[in-house]
Structure formats: C-alpha cells, structure tokens
C-alpha cells in the first residue's frame, strides 16, 4: 500500500498535471494557429469589450435569454460548475498536501461546506445523466462519450466524499480517489471537458461577431 | 479449593487491569489539537509510549529536537519539556515549518521513509 501510494501521489500526479497543462496549452496554440491559417478574419472580428460583455452575461445566472428560459437547468448548471471548480482548489485536505510538499498555503473552505459542494457535484452529475436519458432533444445529441465524461467527473467526487467520511474500504477509497482525479486531469485537454479552456474563447468570438459585425446581442 | 483458586487468579488480574487502565489514562493517546484554532479534523491517534516502543525509537530528539541558532540540530539534547507548538507557529518561518507541516513532515515523513505506520489522512485522523 505504501508503494502504491507513493507511486500514485508522486510520479503519476506529476504526469497527470503535466499532461493536463501541457495538453491544454497544445490544444489552445493549435487552435490559434489553425484559425490564423484558415480563417484569419476571426482575428479582425475579435473585440475585447464585446467579447468580455458576452462572457459576463453568460457567467451571470439568468442574465441571458437562454438561462431565463430554463430556470432549473440554470440553477443546477451554476451550482454544479462553481462547486466543481472551487471545492478541489480550496479543499483543506488538498491544501494540507500542497503545504506538506511545497510549504504553500492559502485559505481553505470549512470541511462541512466543501462536503456539501461535493454532494452538489454528484447530484448535478445525476441530474445531467437523467436529462440525457429522458429528454428526447438531449438524447438526440448524446453519444456514449457523454456518459463516460459524466462518470469521469463524478468519480473523484464520489470517492472523495466516501474517503472523507471514512465509511467504506478507507485506504482503497483514497487510492481510488487519487487515481480518478488524475484520470479527470488527463481527460480535460482531450475530451469535451476542454470547454473549461475553450468556452471563454468561443464565447468571446460569438460576442465579438454579434456585437461588432451584426450589431446584435448574443444573450 | 476451586473458589480460592479463582480468588488467587481473579483478584490480582483485576488489580492489574485497574492499574493498567489508570496508568493508560495518564499516557498520551492522541496528539492534542487544541493549539489549532478551529481544528477541522479529529485529533491524530498517537499512543506515545506504545508507539515509540514498537517503532523502536529510543532517541527522544528524533521528535523533541533542539536546533542552535545556525539551524544545526543539537545532539544529546532534547526538548520533551516543551510542546511542538511552543516553537512551531501557525505559519512557517524560514526553515522552521508551520505546526501542521511540522507534524505531517515528522510523522508521515518517517512512516513513508520506513514504509511502516500510517500515511493516509484517515489512518491518523480517525473518525469515531
């Protein structure tokens, strides 16, 4: 068990972070290069203020027509994404490990709040799953990979939640948690999870095209 | 005959048990976490005497250390009359780690190095 732990928390963690950050940079640069070669007009369309205006609207709950039309989806989407990003970064357990390894430290969420956020992420995954299974218009655009991605996202939170409470198979749950987190990191650049990096760019482009070229709003 | 045999076995056993229980109450079983404002975890399991016996730690300064002003560890001197928190504060300063990091580097560091003893959060911070 010690050897498994040192491996998954050492070399494997280094590999996962390197692939995640390197992969995102690679995808980002190749996108920009491709756009420059094929659709150079995109760069003349791009506008900082129109782009930002659109992003701000879309990251504000109910600030767009689309958000207002689907109130339940909006609430779940926001609660889900905020918890998904904030909980792992400000989780005390993770900060303790950064502190141990690098003597770095930043403020942590109280454990009880982080625990609630994990439940929100898990509930969100179930909501998105049911939505994919039940709503015909969503079912229509769903492929097997969508379910795999949902599982990849849910796994670190389910295992983390169970490990924190020390309910079942404690040592194995921690190892499963570490590995599933690393799988998710590696998946970010190469699956639809890359919308984490790309959505601000596509949104900025849409905002720019609508604002600067079509003189319209895109929200 | 039977009765007295029972007596000669049971009474000393009971007495021994009582002494053992009374004695163990004096001993450390957990590392006191009251120095941490708003501690988030159950205190770490640590049966001082038993631990150092099974881990074969004879040098108290392995944990209760003293450093001189140049950061040189002083051999043959130890600080078991002081709490870790008397020197280690909530923040690291220079090469002196914060209190949390001091405990984790000291305890978990040795366990990982020796490949013996607990190294996962919940193996030390056991929930009741």
């Amino acid at each position: 068990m010690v050897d498994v732990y040192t491996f998954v928390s050492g070399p494997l963690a280094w590999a996962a972070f390197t692939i995640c950050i390197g992969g995102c940079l690679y995808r980002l640069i190749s996108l920009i290069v491709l756009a420059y070669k094929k659709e150079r007009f995109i760069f003349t369309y791009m506008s900082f203020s129109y782009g930002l205006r659109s992003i701000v609207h879309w990251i504000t709950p109910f600030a767009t027509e689309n958000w207002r039309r689907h109130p339940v989806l909006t609430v779940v989407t926001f609660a889900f994404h905020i918890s998904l990003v904030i909980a792992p970064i400000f989780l005390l357990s993770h900060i303790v490990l950064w502190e141990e390894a690098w003597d770095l430290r930043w403020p942590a969420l109280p454990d009880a709040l982080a625990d609630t956020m994990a439940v929100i992420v898990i509930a969100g995954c179930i909501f998105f799953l049911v939505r994919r299974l039940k709503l015909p218009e969503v079912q229509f655009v769903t492929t097997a990979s969508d379910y795999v991605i949902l599982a990849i996202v849910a796994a670190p939170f389910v295992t983390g939640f169970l490990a924190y409470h020390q309910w079942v198979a404690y040592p194995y749950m921690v190892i499963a948690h570490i590995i599933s987190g690393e799988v998710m990191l590696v998946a970010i650049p190469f699956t639809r999870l890359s919308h984490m990096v790309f959505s601000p760019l596509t949104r900025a482009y849409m905002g720019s095209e609508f604002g600067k070229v079509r003189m319209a709003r895109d929200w | 005959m039977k009765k007295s045999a029972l007596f000669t076995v049971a009474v000393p056993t009971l007495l021994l048990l009582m002494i053992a229980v009374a004695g163990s109450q004096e001993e450390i079983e957990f590392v006191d976490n009251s120095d941490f404002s708003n501690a988030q975890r159950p205190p770490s399991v640590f049966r001082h005497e038993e631990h150092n016996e099974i881990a074969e730690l004879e040098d108290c300064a392995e944990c209760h250390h003293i450093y001189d002003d140049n950061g040189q560890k002083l051999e043959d001197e130890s600080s078991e009359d002081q709490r870790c928190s008397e020197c280690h504060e909530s923040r690291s300063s220079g090469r002196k780690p914060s209190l949390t990091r001091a405990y984790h580097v000291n305890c978990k560091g040795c366990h990982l190095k020796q490949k013996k003893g607990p190294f996962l959060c919940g193996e030390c911070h056991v929930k009741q």
Side-chain angles (χ1 to χ4, degrees):
Chain A
M1 205 51 143
V2 187
D3 294 321
V4 176
Y5 174 77
T6 24
F7 178 67
V8 298
S9 66
L12 216 53
W14 275 105
F17 277 103
T18 310
I19 293 172
C20 177
I21 295 168
C24 286
L25 285 177
Y26 171 78
R27 293 273 329 259
L28 207 59
I29 291 166
S30 37
L31 179 84
I32 292 169
V33 169
L34 189 71
Y36 193 77
K37 278 196 194 138
K38 294 258 166 88
E39 331 250 344
R40 203 168 298 181
F41 68 89
I42 286 178
F43 295 96
T44 58
Y45 279 19
M46 281 310 238
S47 143
F48 185 79
S49 57
Y50 286 124
L52 192 67
R53 188 177 73 166
S54 175
I55 292 174
V56 167
H57 274 95
W58 280 91
I59 61 168
T60 311
F62 301 108
T64 70
E65 184 60 34
N66 198 48
W67 288 143
R68 283 189 290 270
R69 216 178 290 154
H70 307 282
V72 178
L73 182 64
T74 301
V75 169
V76 176
T77 302
F78 275 88
F80 172 81
H81 281 91
I82 290 169
S83 304
L84 181 69
V85 174
I86 298 297
I89 298 177
F90 295 99
L91 188 74
L92 180 63
S93 308
H94 291 175
I95 297 173
V96 161
L97 289 170
W98 289 110
E99 187 186 23
E100 227 172 277
W102 301 96
D103 208 356
L104 289 171
R105 204 164 72 168
W106 54 90
L109 296 168
D111 277 345
L113 178 58
D115 205 30
T116 312
M117 290 171 109
V119 174
I120 289 174
V121 172
I122 297 166
C125 286
I126 294 170
F127 175 87
F128 294 130
L129 175 69
V130 171
R131 202 170 152 267
R132 285 203 182 280
L133 290 171
K134 294 283 173 207
L135 291 192
E137 69 267 31
V138 190
Q139 216 174 31
F140 189 65
V141 295
T142 296
T143 61
S145 75
D146 293 309
Y147 296 114
V148 176
I149 289 171
L150 266 182
I152 289 177
V153 172
F157 289 86
V158 172
T159 52
F161 178 78
L162 291 175
Y164 171 66
H165 289 282
Q166 302 174 16
W167 280 332
V168 278
Y170 177 73
Y172 301 100
M173 204 52 85
V174 178
I175 304 291
H177 173 66
I178 298 173
I179 294 174
S180 61
E182 287 162 350
V183 168
M184 181 165 142
L185 283 177
V186 170
I188 288 174
F190 308 111
T191 64
R192 271 216 355 257
L193 294 180
S194 61
H195 74 267
M196 185 179 142
V197 180
F198 291 134
S199 61
L201 289 184
T202 42
R203 195 79 265 153
Y205 172 72
M206 293 290 277
S208 302
E209 187 184 320
F210 272 76
K212 200 162 140 188
V213 182
R214 303 191 195 183
M215 308 293 179
R217 307 186 316 179
D218 67 324
W219 61 84
Chain B
M1 193 59 201
K2 255 189 186 164
K3 241 181 198 169
S4 66
L6 194 74
F7 217 68
T8 49
V9 176
V11 170
T13 312
L14 250 171
L15 268 173
L16 268 176
L17 258 173
M18 281 162 71
I19 292 166
V21 168
S24 69
Q25 276 173 345
E26 302 281 303
E27 268 178 34
I28 300 184
E29 297 205 2
F30 298 95
V31 177
D32 179 12
N33 67 357
S34 59
D35 303 306
F36 297 89
S37 56
N38 187 23
Q40 296 284 310
R41 298 291 154 122
S44 170
V45 182
F46 184 57
R47 290 175 217 89
H48 193 280
E49 300 303 309
E50 186 191 314
H51 176 273
N52 297 341
E53 209 168 291
I54 56 170
E56 290 164 5
L57 298 174
E58 270 132 39
D59 182 11
C60 308
E62 184 76 49
C63 301
H64 300 285
H65 50 213
I66 297 191
Y67 290 87
D68 66 14
D69 294 339
N70 304 319
Q72 233 18 51
K73 192 168 157 180
L74 298 177
E75 304 297 331
D76 311 321
E77 278 190 63
S78 54
S79 59
E80 67 266 11
D81 52 341
Q82 278 175 295
R83 312 236 3 240
C84 309
S85 57
E86 283 175 53
C87 299
H88 294 277
E89 292 150 46
S90 69
R91 298 248 151 210
S92 305
S93 63
R95 289 178 37 187
K96 193 175 68 177
S98 72
L99 188 57
T100 311
R101 190 161 188 267
Y103 278 119
H104 288 151
V105 169
N106 176 257
C107 313
K108 183 177 159 183
C110 175
H111 295 163
L112 283 180
K113 206 163 68 196
Q114 297 205 5
K115 300 192 175 187
K116 271 188 205 160
F119 53 91
L120 297 176
C121 320
E123 293 174 325
C124 288
H125 302 286
V126 184
K127 295 209 166 165
Q128 261 74 43

